[in-house]
Amino acid sequence: MPDFEEIYRLYFADVYRYALALSRDEQTAEEVTQAAFVKALTAIDSFRGECRLRVWLCQIARNQYLSLCREQKRFVGLASEAGDGGIEEAFADREAAVRLHRLLHDLPEPYKEVFSLRTFGELPFGQIGELFGKTESWARVTYFRARQKLKEGLDGT
């Protein structure tokens, strides 16, 4: 196992991007990332190697983010980002943006998280699948289904 400074240097950017995809807020992502590395430092001896170290660190970051949300009892907003084949264009219209936000909020897991990680976090499908302990194909199918559910919701409302 490399020293912890090396782990931090190698994986900080990945963990930060994951935390940013979850929180959609730079300050929160920084806080979550720092807390995740502190937690990982104290628990590094418990790492069993059953998954990649990056995945383990992202799981810690996810748990830190969920804990932070529970502590603050707050909901995160939906950030707009271009490049998802038209869904983000709905943000141009404020009313459509509110509808899309509600649809995304009501989207069941894992669709909501996979869609957010891909669209807002710009994570590759392979990495998303890894985070869930699934395949890249699973991540692609789940993302496609999430997009379909959002499009159907926009068309139906």
Side-chain angles (χ1 to χ4, degrees):
M1 173 84 51
D3 68 69
F4 200 77
E5 286 181 27
E6 181 73 4
I7 292 170
Y8 185 84
R9 186 184 64 74
L10 288 172
Y11 298 108
F12 176 84
D14 288 337
V15 174
Y16 174 78
R17 279 193 305 270
Y18 179 68
L20 186 59
L22 291 174
S23 68
R24 297 178 210 93
D25 177 71
E26 290 179 3
Q27 187 175 6
T28 302
E30 288 175 19
E31 184 179 336
V32 166
T33 302
Q34 292 301 324
F37 275 99
V38 168
K39 184 90 165 181
L41 177 62
T42 62
I44 194 71
D45 293 334
S46 68
F47 177 65
R48 297 184 302 260
E50 294 173 356
C51 61
R52 291 186 181 167
L53 188 56
R54 178 178 20 89
V55 172
W56 183 68
L57 292 168
C58 286
Q59 288 170 343
I60 293 172
R62 181 174 191 256
N63 291 337
Q64 291 295 319
Y65 174 69
L66 294 175
S67 293
L68 180 65
C69 287
R70 278 191 298 271
E71 286 172 18
Q72 296 178 348
K73 292 184 180 175
R74 68 183 180 100
F75 297 98
V76 295
L78 180 62
S80 171
E81 185 167 320
D84 188 30
I87 288 181
E88 283 78 7
E89 291 172 11
F91 283 105
D93 175 17
R94 179 119 173 98
E95 186 177 313
V98 170
R99 280 196 332 258
L100 186 56
H101 172 70
R102 286 185 181 133
L103 288 169
L104 185 60
H105 178 73
D106 294 340
L107 203 60
E109 294 296 346
Y111 301 111
K112 180 181 353 184
E113 190 166 358
V114 169
F115 182 84
S116 295
L117 290 172
R118 179 65 181 175
T119 303
F120 305 116
E122 299 180 351
L123 295 181
F125 289 115
Q127 193 173 359
I128 293 169
E130 218 176 291
L131 288 168
F132 283 89
K134 307 279 186 179
T135 64
E136 180 177 335
S137 296
W138 174 88
R140 286 180 186 278
V141 168
T142 304
Y143 174 77
F144 175 78
R145 289 178 180 163
R147 280 190 63 193
Q148 288 302 109
K149 288 176 183 291
L150 290 171
K151 284 181 181 180
E152 288 168 7
L154 281 175
D155 293 341
T157 55

